Amino acid sequence: MKKTLIAAGLTALALAAGSPAEAAAGIHWGPVKSTNGRADADVWITPFTSETFVVYGKLRDRSPSHCAYIRARFHYAGGGTGWSRARTTCSATSFRLGSDGRIKRVDVKVCLYANKKTSRCYHEKITPEIIANWPQ
């Protein structure tokens, strides 16, 4: 069962990226943490050239009194924005947040989550220009 879920997830990622080569060429953005560091996401992204942009990785909760929360806001190439569905965990889980088309920017939001409310949120802005300026 677990192997089937992993295979299905990899297939979905390959379809979202446009090709298996693009899915394999994911970019490791790194950790994004809530402002107090108790909610932590290890973030990977597909190339900005993908028809459907995907933010994926592992979300962890490090607080006994809260859970971890992640959500992405996509800024579309043709204009407008849209939010992904939120993912939460009170331990650790994989996540996959996909856009509805080509984007020019994504904001990743990681927070603590308790009683249907978020707190200690941190927003990480990711653009192709930022990635292009990384040291090679």
Side-chain angles (χ1 to χ4, degrees), residues 29 32 48 73 75 104-109 122-131:
W29 180 260
V32 178
F48 276 89
R73 184 175 187 190
H75 298 256
K104 59 184 177 183
R105 172 180 151 186
V106 63
D107 300 324
V108 177
K109 178 180 178 180
Y122 179 76
H123 298 259
E124 183 81 32
K125 177 176 124 177
I126 305 171
T127 66
E129 295 79 20
I130 292 170
I131 294 168

Side-chain angles (χ1 to χ4, degrees), residues 61-96:
D61 172 50
R62 298 178 182 193
S63 174
S65 60
H66 296 86
C67 297
Y69 169 102
I70 189 166
R71 196 166 187 197
R73 184 175 187 190
F74 300 105
H75 298 256
Y76 292 100
T81 61
W83 283 98
S84 70
R85 293 183 71 177
R87 291 292 310 260
T88 61
T89 186
C90 297
S91 58
T93 191
S94 296
F95 66 89
R96 181 185 179 282

